[in-house]
Amino acid sequence: MRDHDDCMGIVTGLRLWHSQQLPGGLQGLVLNPIFKENLRIALLGGGKAWADDTSQLGPDKHARDITSLDKYAMERWEVILHFMVGSPSAAVSQDLSQLLIQAGLMKSEGTEAPCITSAGFQFLLLDTSSQLWYFMLQYLHTAETRKMDLVEILSFVFQLSFSTLGKDYSVEGMSESLLTFLQHLREFGLVFQRKRKSRRFYPTRLAINLALGVTGSAVDVHRQGYIVVETNYRIYAYTDSELQLALVALFSEMLYRFPNLVVAQLSRESVQQSIANGISAEQIIHFLRTRAHPVMLKTTPVLPPTITDQVRLWELERDRLQFTEGVLYNQFLSQVDFELLRDYARDLGVLVWENPPKRLMVVTPTGHPDVKRFWKRQKHN
């Protein structure tokens, strides 16, 4: 009953229906007229048809089959992931780079190239469908700032989910906003369009599964179970995926590379460098555990405690010093003056540090004006 009430509350909150007194005095629910009309069209047909007729364009000389579309989608999506991990060969548009920064997946300081953040590393641990959903939500949040029609974009995304994989569709009748969105989808790997000015496009499996919420899609850039970690801090990655190797290289030093195997070393410098870039020790441990080779999964615990403990200790080493901004007070003429001002700052809760023998104290920048005014009043008295 509680679930029913929760569902009723959600639907009412979306204004899909509203309560109304029916003839006879009973309380009933009436559908929103706009929702009612669109629901009727969805169930019975009608409305404005999607301009998907490509008969006027003739047969496509460069038609793509399902296999090639899956390969294209994987390649395009991997370019974005490669760019996030800093692969030199990966290049994306300026617009996409800014979107990654606005989403908090990457950060850029001054003229330096963008680098991955802690949220970005966590993003790379997700499956492809979850990555796409997160990415599209961030894109939709910024759509109106790009002067794009949000409703029109959402309608097109849902239309793509009803399209047929391997079938081409026409761009005739699309607005400028939709054509711009189509080019962004092309860069994401959600649609294939041979040229920017081409009058037809092919939705890929990524686009069709996006609105359907399918997680077990055939296109997935993640490969589980390929890492072996030894107690001597050696990592053996049994993979030929450039992306997976780039992920391992974010927190380790590459030693040897063979056709299907890479040997890396966990070191204090490599781990602390990744921590400086925003990747936490727990994220490194989680990555190694979730990518563990089937041989390692037979042991308990999966990762050697020596490795997990040391990675955490290396993180703690870096956090031993804590920096706090403050204002220094010194050159007190007497110990009484020092203690008077120190006690006042302590009562205000703005005292950061004190050294009574040397008559030194530090207060917070926000508390400095009050302490300064108090000290001036005391000096005048």
Side-chain angles (χ1 to χ4, degrees):
M1 189 67 183
R2 183 178 178 182
D3 292 341
H4 176 265
D5 292 339
D6 291 341
C7 293
M8 292 280 288
I10 292 172
V11 176
T12 304
L14 293 173
R15 299 184 181 180
L16 299 184
W17 62 37
H18 63 274
S19 60
Q20 182 175 309
Q21 192 171 10
L22 301 177
L26 295 175
Q27 199 72 12
L29 296 170
V30 179
L31 283 177
N32 182 300
I34 298 175
F35 174 74
K36 180 179 178 181
E37 177 63 19
N38 288 328
L39 180 63
R40 184 190 64 79
I41 292 173
L43 295 176
L44 305 178
K48 185 179 179 181
W50 186 16
D52 59 349
D53 185 14
T54 56
S55 58
Q56 296 181 353
L57 302 178
D60 189 1
K61 297 179 182 178
H62 307 280
R64 289 295 185 106
D65 56 17
I66 295 177
T67 304
S68 62
L69 287 174
D70 284 345
K71 182 181 178 182
Y72 168 81
M74 177 183 291
E75 290 174 349
R76 291 307 310 164
W77 188 248
E78 278 200 339
V79 166
I80 298 175
L81 302 184
H82 275 290
F83 177 76
M84 290 182 62
V85 297
S87 298
S89 58
V92 299
S93 67
Q94 184 67 25
D95 202 22
L96 179 54
S97 176
Q98 286 299 317
L99 179 61
L100 290 169
I101 294 173
Q102 291 171 0
L105 302 178
M106 302 189 76
K107 61 181 179 181
S108 178
E109 297 179 358
T111 57
E112 295 182 4
C115 61
I116 193 169
T117 63
S118 177
F121 188 77
Q122 192 67 35
F123 172 83
L124 294 175
L125 300 181
L126 301 174
D127 59 84
T128 307
S129 295
S130 300
Q131 289 177 343
L132 278 169
W133 258 116
Y134 183 86
F135 201 75
M136 286 303 299
L137 287 174
Q138 297 301 319
Y139 182 92
L140 294 173
H141 282 316
T142 61
E144 293 182 344
T145 61
R146 303 166 189 266
K147 298 181 180 180
M148 303 173 76
D149 189 339
L150 184 59
V151 175
E152 189 178 38
I153 290 174
L154 279 172
S155 299
F156 185 68
V157 170
F158 288 120
Q159 283 176 345
L160 288 177
S161 68
F162 289 99
S163 58
T164 303
L165 187 62
K167 183 182 184 305
D168 58 327
Y169 293 85
S170 174
V171 300
E172 297 297 328
M174 284 190 178
S175 65
E176 286 298 322
S177 178
L178 268 186
L179 290 174
T180 302
F181 181 52
L182 188 68
Q183 293 307 312
H184 291 157
L185 294 182
R186 182 188 178 204
E187 186 172 13
F188 303 160
L190 271 65
V191 300
F192 169 79
Q193 192 179 23
R194 198 171 70 87
K195 296 180 180 178
R196 293 180 64 90
K197 298 296 183 181
S198 178
R199 298 171 64 189
R200 68 177 91 218
F201 67 92
Y202 292 81
T204 67
R205 196 184 302 272
L206 292 179
I208 294 172
N209 291 344
L210 180 63
L212 298 179
V214 177
T215 57
S217 61
V219 180
D220 200 330
V221 300
H222 300 286
R223 300 177 186 177
Q224 301 287 340
Y226 65 94
I227 288 180
V228 173
V229 183
E230 293 186 340
T231 53
N232 60 357
Y233 305 101
R234 288 285 177 93
I235 297 176
Y236 299 89
Y238 293 88
T239 179
D240 56 359
S241 169
E242 293 290 338
L243 176 61
Q244 301 297 345
L245 297 180
L247 284 171
V248 174
L250 286 175
F251 54 83
S252 63
E253 298 175 2
M254 292 294 174
L255 300 180
Y256 314 109
R257 180 164 184 174
F258 302 100
N260 295 311
L261 170 66
V262 165
V263 182
Q265 179 85 24
L266 277 174
S267 66
R268 180 173 177 269
E269 291 75 18
S270 63
V271 171
Q272 291 191 346
Q273 180 59 44
S274 67
I275 292 171
N277 292 332
I279 301 172
S280 68
E282 289 303 325
Q283 286 179 321
I284 295 173
I285 293 170
H286 176 72
F287 177 85
L288 294 174
R289 186 180 290 123
T290 55
R291 265 65 174 177
H293 194 278
V295 173
M296 294 196 66
L297 295 177
K298 297 177 182 178
T299 62
T300 305
V302 175
L303 295 178
T306 309
I307 300 298
T308 55
D309 291 346
Q310 188 60 66
V311 171
R312 292 188 179 104
L313 286 173
W314 281 331
E315 183 180 46
L316 290 175
E317 273 185 19
R318 191 176 178 276
D319 294 338
R320 283 186 300 179
L321 296 177
Q322 183 176 0
F323 296 92
T324 305
E325 291 186 5
V327 179
L328 175 66
Y329 283 76
N330 58 2
Q331 298 181 353
F332 290 93
L333 298 178
S334 68
Q335 190 70 19
V336 175
D337 290 343
F338 167 79
E339 292 176 357
L340 177 66
L341 195 62
R342 179 202 60 188
D343 293 342
Y344 179 77
R346 183 182 292 163
D347 292 340
L348 289 179
V350 298
L351 182 66
V352 176
W353 175 82
E354 61 172 311
N355 187 338
K358 295 185 178 180
R359 298 177 187 172
L360 299 174
M361 58 178 282
V362 176
V363 300
T364 62
T366 54
H368 170 58
D370 290 335
V371 175
K372 184 179 179 181
R373 281 193 296 269
F374 174 80
W375 182 237
K376 282 185 176 180
R377 287 199 302 269
Q378 292 300 317
K379 288 174 70 175
H380 288 314
N381 293 336

